[in-house]
Amino acid sequence: MAKPGGPLLEFSEDWMPIFADPAREYAYLAEVTSHRAVEGGAEFEARTDTGETARASVVFVRPHVVRFRAWVGDEPPLDSPMLVEGYDRLKPVLPGFTEDDEAVTLESSALRVSLGRKPWSLTVFDADGRPLLEQRPDDRQLLGPVVLPTGYSK
């Protein structure tokens, strides 16, 4: 169970971000336990640091746009007011798919998304192989996480 710390707590007197609230518990994705191909990407089953089962999906909606979703329990609806208008009319891009003992990788003409198996990690690279985003459970500063790893608050 990760606990918030560092820069997020600077806001706590004026505004309490949900992931900075020290009264809440935060579970994060610790490892991929299985995966399967879905239209436009892959769906993953993961175990959290507290032993719970979570699911996640990575789907390319355009070669340069990846949709990442994660949930515990019932899958959230595919339509959401948080999505760009017209999302439902987009046809998923069929990415390349490779895997080895360490990671599952999905690749379009513009992006490569690599999900590390254990520990869970998510890295997005551009077409030239430069990392654009990386989330790992061991992304730490001296006193705590720089950014809490992919997970949920309860």
Side-chain angles (χ1 to χ4, degrees):
M1 184 79 49
K3 284 292 187 183
L8 290 176
L9 292 181
E10 293 175 16
F11 301 105
S12 63
E13 289 186 27
D14 301 314
W15 169 71
M16 178 61 71
I18 190 170
F19 296 114
D21 185 347
R24 296 179 69 92
E25 295 181 341
Y26 185 83
Y28 62 87
L29 303 180
E31 69 178 299
V32 172
T33 55
S34 66
H35 66 280
R36 66 183 181 90
V38 297
E39 185 177 17
E43 187 174 290
F44 300 84
E45 184 172 288
R47 187 174 352 276
T48 69
D49 64 315
T50 59
E52 295 174 274
T53 298
R55 301 197 65 77
S57 71
V58 174
V59 174
F60 282 84
V61 294
R62 287 285 184 252
H64 57 282
V65 178
V66 168
R67 181 177 186 203
F68 173 78
R69 298 183 317 135
W71 64 93
V72 175
D74 294 335
E75 181 176 3
L78 291 173
D79 59 342
S80 165
M82 294 174 49
L83 298 175
V84 175
E85 189 174 322
Y87 168 80
D88 56 339
R89 293 187 303 272
L90 297 176
K91 295 200 184 287
V93 173
L94 299 177
F97 184 95
T98 59
E99 63 178 299
D100 59 31
D101 291 341
E102 295 186 14
V104 175
T105 302
L106 304 165
E107 189 167 4
S108 72
S109 59
L111 298 173
R112 179 170 40 102
V113 179
S114 179
L115 280 94
R117 293 179 188 270
K118 187 175 181 179
W120 165 279
S121 64
L122 172 71
T123 308
V124 179
F125 301 90
D126 68 13
D128 294 325
R130 291 184 299 251
L132 302 173
L133 168 108
E134 182 173 38
Q135 272 211 315
R136 308 161 35 124
D138 59 352
D139 186 10
R140 301 260 175 215
Q141 63 180 2
L142 194 57
L143 299 176
V146 174
V147 176
L148 291 173
T150 306
Y152 57 93
S153 176
K154 51 184 177 174

